[in-house]
Amino acid sequence: MRNITLTQALRETLDAILERDPSTFVMGEDIGIYGGSFGVTRGLIEKYGSERIRDTPISEQALTGCAIGAAVAGRRPIIEFMFMDFITLGTDQLVNLAAKLKPIYGIPCPLVVRAPTGAGRGYGATHSQTLERFFFGVPGIKIVAPSNATDASALLQTAVADNNPVLFLEHKLLYPIRFPFPDELPPPMPFGQAEVVNEGDDVTIVSWGYMTALARQAAAKLASLGIGADIVDLRTLAPLDMETVITSVQTTGRVILLEEGPKTGGVSAEIESRILDEAFEYLEKPIRRLASPDFPVPAAKSLEAHCVPTVDEIVACAQEMIA
Amino acid sequence: MDNLLTSYRTMVTIRLFEEAVERLFLEGRVMGTAHTCIGQEAIAAGIAAAMEPFDAMTSTHRGHGHFIARGGEPKRVMAELFGRDTGYSHGRGGSQMMMDTSIGFYGANGITAGSTAFAAGLALDAKLSHSPRAVISILGDGASNQGIFYESLNLAALWKLPVIYTIENNGYAMSTATARGLADTCTADRGKAFNIPGVSADGNDFFAVRDTVRGLLADARSGKGPFVLELRTYRLSGHSRGDPRVYRTREEEQEAWRHDPILRMADALRERGATGAQLETCRQEAAATIQDAIAFAESSPAPDAIGFASSLFA
């Protein structure tokens, strides 16, 4: 075991994938010589050359469509959107082509779309969004949202081996965090397996990505208050492992759904609906959703801080539910 | 002459297919929507005649003709329109979403310029594989206004990809005449900002299409691509089913019918020595193909209405 950043874990994983599978290549804006806006692909162009570490012009539609074409032709492209916000520009190709290829045309599309998400760096309203909600309702796209380096590595390997379009979310605030990481890469991990990362009997907290890091901090505080939090880290949103969520809810009877992004229309609204469908009789309290206000992410640190659920809010919410 | 007669038969097959589609819609036997390519058959047949089996073609929302010319089976295209399990997409795709990569047909696409970047990806793969494959990416004059087309042109030019963006300039983007929709109506010039050579040809002349495409394919294979090819034509049919064609006059259409590519092809073949009997045989064979296609489609089973949703992923 060693401690490395998410960035380093992703880079090592990409390196291994590129080395063992010659059909893979990485494509995106400033991912070659520059090494990517967040440094994930740094150094790869020296090893694999500019054909496989392919810088593109600022053309999100074309780079997405081009990757889909290469995928259908038998390659395994891994593309990067510099910020997830820019995925809006490539969305037509993802929604109207990539997501339709297998179910409608019967053609596999092995494509991985990496996208740095989230607020917390003061980048402003067009560089800070969490837009997985846009794709969550589009059948045909898998969505992966790891919360730590080992999961990220294991899930990225699975994503590249998958024969479908996979949206791979990397939260910007997780990049510099050091996580325990095995000396050798972890093995690939199947999609659709949530993990209970903290066990407790009093309240279930459902989260993914960076929100799981917050949930863990909240759980530590709650433990000192004598409240046990069961944290379900979803790891993938599509497929969605409701079984693990429901099992936890059956024990605790109380649920907090954590989500970064506006409360209206969030992914957690769907999860809430499913809990009500499947485990209503186990609920001792109404389900609580902690999300962001229905407002674009502001740039000023003081304002931005109000646009993401905080550890204190989670703790307060859990205390209210227990009281 | 045999090849030419085959191409003539293809053109007639496409014409009769599209006429049948319009009739079947009116009769309520086929539902949904379809965009027919009556008047544009020389483009489909000419391009297909120039392509090698290993080449790739991407098509548009108006794609029946391209697909049939490339080797798609009319009966399976028809079955798709009927929503039957024997259709190319098992009834899931309908008119605008069919693909058969085994014959190098990479799909009709319901988003007008939606295949242009995809085609660049196919071409990138060909280039990286050192394959002789070149890609024909077909779009319309209307689609040539979409942003993705320009991003694709830039990418293709930057990476010198073997792709020929082939614009069927049929005068209308649905109801919008090219002069009302394009700041510069010469679609051959659409690649100018990227130093992409633009070529224009008469899209109603089978021979002009075939020979121009053949030359461009050879150039693309030798690394001189990409290219923009404008094929000037006229959509004799309406945009889609139920189009009242209020945006143009019947006189204009009558004038356009005088340049019907099938009549021109028949004349050209006669000049080259084809007999009336040979042409009539082609027509009868095409008619039989369409009759069979309709019978096949109508007698085909409906798709599995319960199990289909479990096949979302590969």
Side-chain angles (χ1 to χ4, degrees), chain A residues 46-67:
Chain A
E46 282 82 2
K47 187 166 174 187
Y48 296 100
S50 57
E51 288 207 333
R52 292 186 69 201
I53 308 297
R54 183 168 286 267
D55 275 319
T56 73
I58 301 175
S59 301
E60 289 83 2
Q61 297 190 73
L63 86 87
T64 308
C66 183

Side-chain angles (χ1 to χ4, degrees), chain B residues 23-94:
Chain B
R23 193 174 64 245
L24 290 162
F25 269 109
L26 285 177
E27 293 170 1
R29 291 158 75 191
V30 171
M31 312 302 276
T33 193
H35 307 86
T36 56
C37 66
I38 293 171
Q40 305 179 199
E41 297 88 348
I43 293 177
I47 291 172
M51 291 175 76
E52 297 292 341
F54 51 75
D55 287 329
M57 172 193 277
T58 67
S59 175
T60 68
H61 59 294
R62 199 178 303 287
H64 308 158
H66 304 143
F67 194 10
I68 290 169
R70 186 63 181 145
E73 293 181 69
K75 64 180 185 181
R76 291 189 62 201
V77 181
M78 190 63 86
E80 188 61 33
L81 296 180
F82 271 84
R84 301 304 165 96
D85 196 41
T86 51
Y88 273 100
S89 302
H90 302 281
R92 300 171 182 186

Side-chain angles (χ1 to χ4, degrees), chain A residues 36-148:
Chain A
S37 253
F38 295 93
V40 172
T41 53
R42 194 165 295 153
L44 294 178
I45 193 169
E46 282 82 2
K47 187 166 174 187
Y48 296 100
S50 57
E51 288 207 333
R52 292 186 69 201
I53 308 297
R54 183 168 286 267
D55 275 319
T56 73
I58 301 175
S59 301
E60 289 83 2
Q61 297 190 73
L63 86 87
T64 308
C66 183
I68 297 168
V72 165
R75 293 179 186 272
R76 293 188 174 275
I78 303 160
I79 62 171
E80 175 180 310
F81 282 94
M82 188 182 285
F83 289 84
M84 193 191 196
D85 312 69
F86 306 165
I87 207 168
T88 53
L89 292 151
T91 298
D92 163 62
Q93 292 292 295
L94 292 174
V95 171
N96 285 321
L97 189 53
K100 306 297 187 268
L101 278 164
K102 170 57 180 65
I104 302 297
Y105 295 98
I107 306 287
C109 179
L111 169 70
V112 176
V113 179
R114 294 181 39 244
T117 71
R121 291 206 181 190
Y123 289 156
T126 57
H127 290 63
S128 305
Q129 296 170 89
T130 43
L131 298 177
E132 52 264 41
R133 62 188 54 214
F134 285 3
F135 300 92
F136 188 60
V138 179
I141 298 177
K142 298 186 179 182
I143 306 175
V144 180
S147 69
N148 62 72

Side-chain angles (χ1 to χ4, degrees), chain A residues 51 54-55 57 59-62 65-66 69-70 73 75 92-93 96 100-105 107 140 142 164, chain B residues 89 92-93 97-99 106 108 111 114 117-118 121-122 124-125 128-129 148 151 154-155 158-159 311-314:
Chain A
E51 288 207 333
R54 183 168 286 267
D55 275 319
S59 301
E60 289 83 2
Q61 297 190 73
C66 183
R75 293 179 186 272
D92 163 62
Q93 292 292 295
N96 285 321
K100 306 297 187 268
L101 278 164
K102 170 57 180 65
I104 302 297
Y105 295 98
I107 306 287
K142 298 186 179 182
N164 301 282
Chain B
S89 302
R92 300 171 182 186
M97 299 178 90
M98 289 178 245
M99 200 179 279
Y106 285 83
I111 305 299
F118 180 68
L122 296 171
L124 174 63
D125 169 71
L128 293 176
S129 308
I148 190 171
E151 291 191 5
N154 184 57
L155 209 65
L158 196 66
W159 294 346
S311 59
L312 179 62
F313 290 113

